[in-house]
Amino acid sequence: MQFYNTFSKSKEVFEPVNPPNVTFYVCGPTIYDYFHIGNARSFIMADILRRYLEFKGYHVKYVMNLTDVDDRIIKKSIDEKKPSGEISNFYAEAFFEDIKSLKVKPATVYPKATQHIDDMIKLIQELEDKEIAYNVDGNVFYNVSKFNDYGKLSGKNLEELSAGARVEINEIKKNPLDFALWKKAKEGEPSWNSPWGKGRPGWHIECSAMSSKHLGDTIDIHAGGNDLIFPHHENEIAQSEGAHNHKFVKYWIHFGFLNINEEKMSKSLGNFLTAREILKKYTAESIRLFFAQTYYGGPLNFSFDLLKAAEKGSEKIFNLAAIIETEIKKDNNVGISPEFDIKYYYDEFEKVMDDDLNTPQAVAIIFDFIRNANKVIADYDNINVSFFHDLKKFLKDTAQSILGILDFEKLGLKESSGLDDKLIEILLSLRIKLKKEKNFFLADQIRDDLNKLGIVLKDTKEGTTYKIR
Ligand code: AMP
Ligand code: ZN
């Protein structure tokens, strides 16, 4: 298996530190509002990567932090005249509801920043002891000049960065690139006691402290959207490696932006659609298919046309699943076993997923599988149920368990009454009566009308059978 590592800027073979365990950290949401469909892209692609690692036999410890102390939360709490804890608790709940609706598997741990203030203080102290951090009147900064590798992840050089940063010179910092580890308390803001006086942590230190607390000092995979490469992840490396002197992350994986009209979807630009509102009209499976059809690392432009196309694709997957379930219920164990090379599809699927999680190719393989399975079903009449069990296993392992673009359980709910089958049987016996009475005109009309609904009748010597196309 290999992945594109942002750090080395090349594809690298995946070798976790301590196989079969994999430690996986994803930068989660700042819980001050509902998340948008752009955030959902990052959450879903990380989820697919995690599910695929599990399919490959790894034991994944998956940690996603929730940022519950931040300028944006504070601003909202002032605007709405509510304590910031009330704002973050409300949107944390909304976050859990929405990722559940999107069929994102729950993380092993969801650490919240405010529950780890002591860990952050300890880490800042370590940096201060090593003279990498300095305190200016209750504000503690990271001294970027003390970390040689600064800029390596983002590929930026220090002079370039300094020139850019000088625009917003902060008097109290030694160097314009230095960033805040601890911010001195301001009136009306949440604050905690610390060796530097009352204050709150900076955003970057949260992830350094929480990742090492839950996953150890070297983690296998660290992921997030492209916007986090600089400065967030660059700063995380500087903090964690500065304090601990060994490699912080083996594989850095970043997700491309979901754009809208070729511009990054974001709260600050106001060009966003919440996952919650999209979920009112589209299923999780359609949304996930929409994302899986594009390589995770590249940009993707949002449009309702593309989402509708994904919805059509999703119907095709569910249609085959429905046929499979109907046939499994019939449990025909005497019919023929048509030739169908399931192993080929497993191999192809793994081959493309192993190559930097090529989900667009994986989806294409699933559609090829569906096309060929439908053809076999249309060509043969008396198929042994074992064939349908094989089809189901493949779709469950790949489309359902890894990509999350199918849900057999959802079908079970819809079909539990068996009413469709019973209605079709009534029409078939009516048609036999009409034929006996030589009313071929009406008998044909029943056949044609059912055909329009995708129900194909086949007259044989033994009677009439039907298939749902
Ligand atoms: P935030 O709540 O802004 O910290 O973002 C949560 C996650 O969503 C982070 O991993 C971001 O990098 C990611 N993200 C934000 N905007 C987009 C976007 N337009 N497309 C893809 N990922 C995004
Ligand atoms: Zn982070």
Side-chain angles (χ1 to χ4, degrees), residues 244-259:
H244 301 135
N245 277 334
H246 53 74
K247 191 133 186 88
F248 171 45
V249 169
K250 268 196 100 173
Y251 305 91
W252 282 98
I253 293 183
H254 288 100
F255 307 111
F257 291 147
L258 181 73
N259 295 325

Side-chain angles (χ1 to χ4, degrees), residues 258-276:
L258 181 73
N259 295 325
I260 189 158
N261 301 322
E262 311 299 332
E263 199 172 35
K264 182 194 169 201
M265 184 181 286
S266 77
K267 281 276 155 60
S268 51
L269 291 171
N271 59 355
F272 64 91
L273 296 152
T274 62
R276 197 164 266 236

Side-chain angles (χ1 to χ4, degrees), residues 114 132 231 390 392:
T114 55
I132 298 173
D390 289 347
K392 181 170 180 178

Side-chain angles (χ1 to χ4, degrees), residues 25 27 65 203 207 222 228 232-233 236:
Y25 186 92
C27 292
N65 70 295
W203 171 38
C207 286
H222 191 131
L228 301 186
H232 186 52
H233 289 160
E236 282 187 40

Side-chain angles (χ1 to χ4, degrees), residues 21-79:
N21 300 313
V22 170
T23 51
F24 190 159
Y25 186 92
V26 190
C27 292
T30 305
I31 35 183
Y32 72 109
D33 207 340
Y34 298 108
F35 67 82
H36 59 65
I37 194 80
N39 302 127
R41 181 183 186 201
S42 287
F43 302 149
I44 287 173
M45 295 318 288
D47 180 54
I48 292 177
L49 173 56
R50 180 244 186 121
R51 288 164 177 242
Y52 188 60
L53 291 166
E54 288 175 344
F55 169 82
K56 297 287 276 189
Y58 289 111
H59 303 169
V60 183
K61 185 162 181 194
Y62 189 83
V63 176
M64 181 180 272
N65 70 295
L66 302 182
T67 297
D68 62 345
V69 51
D70 172 87
D71 291 345
R72 291 173 291 182
I73 301 176
I74 293 168
K75 184 176 180 303
K76 193 145 194 172
S77 94
I78 293 167
D79 290 350

Side-chain angles (χ1 to χ4, degrees), residues 187-219:
E187 185 64 34
E189 290 186 1
S191 63
W192 290 262
N193 289 323
S194 82
W196 316 282
K198 272 186 165 299
R200 63 181 168 101
W203 171 38
H204 315 299
I205 200 73
E206 295 180 9
C207 286
S208 280
M210 291 190 276
S211 61
S212 67
K213 167 97 179 182
H214 293 279
L215 298 174
D217 287 344
T218 299
I219 53 184

Side-chain angles (χ1 to χ4, degrees), residues 47-333:
D47 180 54
I48 292 177
L49 173 56
R50 180 244 186 121
R51 288 164 177 242
Y52 188 60
L53 291 166
E54 288 175 344
F55 169 82
K56 297 287 276 189
Y58 289 111
H59 303 169
V60 183
K61 185 162 181 194
Y62 189 83
V63 176
M64 181 180 272
N65 70 295
L66 302 182
T67 297
D68 62 345
V69 51
D70 172 87
D71 291 345
R72 291 173 291 182
I73 301 176
I74 293 168
K75 184 176 180 303
K76 193 145 194 172
S77 94
I78 293 167
D79 290 350
E80 296 195 359
K81 299 189 179 60
K82 286 178 185 155
S84 74
E86 195 176 317
I87 303 281
S88 60
N89 282 339
F90 178 85
Y91 288 107
E93 280 315 307
F95 166 77
F96 289 129
E97 283 167 21
D98 292 348
I99 52 162
K100 188 168 179 216
S101 305
L102 288 168
K103 309 263 174 94
V104 170
K105 222 178 141 176
T108 320
V109 195
Y110 287 106
K112 280 187 177 173
T114 55
Q115 293 162 349
H116 293 76
I117 303 289
D118 288 348
D119 302 299
M120 296 172 206
I121 291 175
K122 198 167 145 265
L123 187 57
I124 300 170
Q125 273 181 310
E126 281 170 36
L127 291 167
E128 202 184 22
D129 291 346
K130 290 186 165 180
E131 297 183 356
I132 298 173
Y134 58 93
N135 171 12
V136 185
D137 185 29
N139 287 289
V140 184
F141 296 99
Y142 188 101
N143 187 342
V144 168
S145 69
K146 296 278 175 88
F147 187 68
N148 286 338
D149 281 350
Y150 196 78
K152 226 173 180 177
L153 175 74
S154 54
K156 293 180 192 280
N157 77 39
L158 237 54
E159 284 87 66
E160 231 174 62
L161 285 172
S162 304
R166 267 193 204 103
V167 182
E168 32 158 333
I169 286 179
N170 177 333
E171 306 281 85
I172 60 175
K173 290 198 282 187
K174 287 186 183 166
N175 181 319
L177 283 182
D178 295 351
F179 56 90
L181 297 168
W182 188 261
K183 299 178 176 180
K184 189 177 176 167
K186 288 191 190 139
E187 185 64 34
E189 290 186 1
S191 63
W192 290 262
N193 289 323
S194 82
W196 316 282
K198 272 186 165 299
R200 63 181 168 101
W203 171 38
H204 315 299
I205 200 73
E206 295 180 9
C207 286
S208 280
M210 291 190 276
S211 61
S212 67
K213 167 97 179 182
H214 293 279
L215 298 174
D217 287 344
T218 299
I219 53 184
D220 292 312
I221 302 177
H222 191 131
N226 267 342
D227 53 339
L228 301 186
I229 298 174
F230 188 85
H232 186 52
H233 289 160
E234 197 74 75
N235 292 353
E236 282 187 40
I237 297 175
Q239 295 163 158
S240 296
E241 296 194 359
H244 301 135
N245 277 334
H246 53 74
K247 191 133 186 88
F248 171 45
V249 169
K250 268 196 100 173
Y251 305 91
W252 282 98
I253 293 183
H254 288 100
F255 307 111
F257 291 147
L258 181 73
N259 295 325
I260 189 158
N261 301 322
E262 311 299 332
E263 199 172 35
K264 182 194 169 201
M265 184 181 286
S266 77
K267 281 276 155 60
S268 51
L269 291 171
N271 59 355
F272 64 91
L273 296 152
T274 62
R276 197 164 266 236
E277 54 187 307
I278 301 282
L279 275 162
K280 285 191 186 135
K281 290 210 183 114
Y282 296 89
T283 61
E285 289 80 11
S286 305
I287 296 169
R288 293 178 70 109
L289 179 61
F290 165 64
F291 290 134
Q293 278 170 328
T294 300
Y295 169 64
Y296 73 82
L300 167 60
N301 210 34
F302 178 85
S303 82
F304 279 104
D305 284 347
L306 284 176
L307 200 49
K308 280 189 192 121
E311 193 179 37
K312 284 245 160 65
S314 174
E315 275 169 25
K316 279 191 197 150
I317 308 173
F318 273 91
N319 280 349
L320 175 59
I323 294 172
I324 292 171
E325 288 296 53
T326 310
E327 294 296 330
I328 285 177
K329 254 187 246 145
K330 287 190 199 156
D331 201 22
N332 170 10
N333 48 26

